[in-house]
Each structure stands twice: as C-alpha cells, then as structure tokens.
Amino acid sequence: MKISAYLQKYDQTKLFDVTYYLDPERWNSCHEATAQFLNEDGWSDYIKYLDENGNISMDVRNITKEHGGIYIFFIQGDTLPFCEKYLAYIGRAQSTENQSVGKRLCEYLRESQKESSRPLIPRLFRYWKDKLYVKYYQSDDNNFIINGESALIKSILPPFNDDMPESIILKEPQKAF
C-alpha cells in the first residue's frame, strides 16, 4: 500500500501531520550566526518534560532558576528512540530577576492549557505531551540569547514556532570553493 493511500484510509493519522522545511541553503545562510551551537558541549542532556503522572518532571523543575538561555522542545518517537527525535520548538528565557530557563520551561504546561495561548503550543502538548523532551543552552548574555534564538529559528523553522524573528538578517550563501 502506498503511504498516500494509507493516509486516505486512516484519516486519524493526519491529525499528527507536522511540516518540516529541510532547506540546506537556509541552513548555510544562518551558519555564521548558529556556529556557536554546533558543539554539543554547551547543551544539556535530553530531559523528559513530564513525569509518568503528567506533572512537570523533577529534572525540569531542577533546571537552574538563576540563569537565562535558549531551550528546545523535541518529540521523541518510540520506534527508534535512540535517533527518532523531532525538533518541535525553540524558545528563550532572558537572564533577569524574574525570568530563567527553569522558570520559563515550567510555564509551558500551564500555558498549553489556556484557551488564549498561542495555538501551536496547545497542539504540541495535546498530541505529544508524553513524548516531549527538552535541551537547553545556559547563558546570562541577553543579546546572545536573543540573537541565538532568532538565528536558530530562522535556520530550522521549527514547526511549533509561530513567528519568524526579525533580529538577524540572513546572508546569501556563498560557495565554499
């Protein structure tokens, strides 16, 4: 059976449709701005977002409340969990008295339950809340945080981010040789 025929037969599967834009030219145009994120050393490990009771996991609750940074939500599939990770959303928490990576990540579960929330966040939680993981990159440099988040969103175009940031300008790709 062809995949298109399967999807016509089983409409329910279409509820889980997510679009990715895998554009190497866009990746290359943002490479200079995203180069600092290429090394995994600055990123946390994958952290399960919810525990088995549907509450924010202790690992997320224990993320620093004293530093800002950039964070990423991933959906982890069950078929090949060692490599089946789908980048879903990129966000930031500036380093301020009232905001931190840990605090901001803890706000998403509550935000996903509000009617006035951004529409893609409730969808992310409605279908994949038990499969969500996060990674974060800690920083106290708010300019770095703002520009880093912007560059990553423009490079990747995560399916659950609503807005294209305006804080960086994409460069035309140039030939390497």
Side-chain angles (χ1 to χ4, degrees), residues 7 12 18 33 46-47 59-60 73 79 104 106 113 121 124-125 137 150 157 163 170-171:
L7 292 173
Q12 180 73 12
V18 177
Y46 288 96
I47 302 168
D59 289 337
V60 171
F73 278 94
T79 307
R104 182 65 186 114
C106 287
Q113 298 163 349
I121 298 302
L124 176 64
F125 277 78
Y137 191 101
S150 179
L157 298 179
D163 298 322
L170 298 178
K171 293 183 178 180

Side-chain angles (χ1 to χ4, degrees), residues 100-123:
S100 68
V101 173
K103 183 177 178 189
R104 182 65 186 114
L105 283 170
C106 287
E107 293 170 351
Y108 276 89
L109 182 59
R110 187 175 54 252
E111 184 178 327
S112 73
Q113 298 163 349
K114 291 181 180 178
E115 287 184 34
S116 62
S117 180
R118 295 170 286 173
L120 296 178
I121 298 302
R123 181 171 186 255

Side-chain angles (χ1 to χ4, degrees), residues 36 70 94 139-149 167:
Q36 71 268 22
I70 297 168
Q94 292 189 54
S139 176
D140 290 322
D141 179 343
N142 287 332
N143 285 329
F144 172 81
I145 293 168
I146 292 167
N147 290 324
E149 179 212 31
S167 64

Side-chain angles (χ1 to χ4, degrees), residues 62-95:
N62 290 331
I63 293 172
T64 181
K65 304 287 190 291
E66 298 172 5
H67 301 283
I70 297 168
Y71 52 88
I72 300 174
F73 278 94
F74 293 88
I75 301 166
Q76 181 173 307
D78 293 333
T79 307
L80 298 171
F82 56 89
C83 68
E84 192 180 3
K85 293 175 176 49
Y86 304 95
L87 195 150
Y89 181 85
I90 297 172
R92 72 168 187 244
Q94 292 189 54
S95 184

Side-chain angles (χ1 to χ4, degrees), residues 20-79:
Y20 285 89
Y21 301 98
L22 306 176
D23 180 354
E25 286 185 25
R26 195 182 62 258
W27 297 338
N28 290 335
S29 71
C30 294
H31 183 73
E32 186 178 316
T34 60
Q36 71 268 22
F37 300 112
L38 296 179
N39 186 339
E40 264 190 280
D41 292 342
W43 290 95
S44 71
D45 290 331
Y46 288 96
I47 302 168
K48 182 101 167 79
Y49 189 75
L50 297 178
D51 64 20
E52 59 279 348
N53 298 317
N55 299 312
I56 297 170
S57 72
M58 286 307 297
D59 289 337
V60 171
R61 290 176 192 266
N62 290 331
I63 293 172
T64 181
K65 304 287 190 291
E66 298 172 5
H67 301 283
I70 297 168
Y71 52 88
I72 300 174
F73 278 94
F74 293 88
I75 301 166
Q76 181 173 307
D78 293 333
T79 307

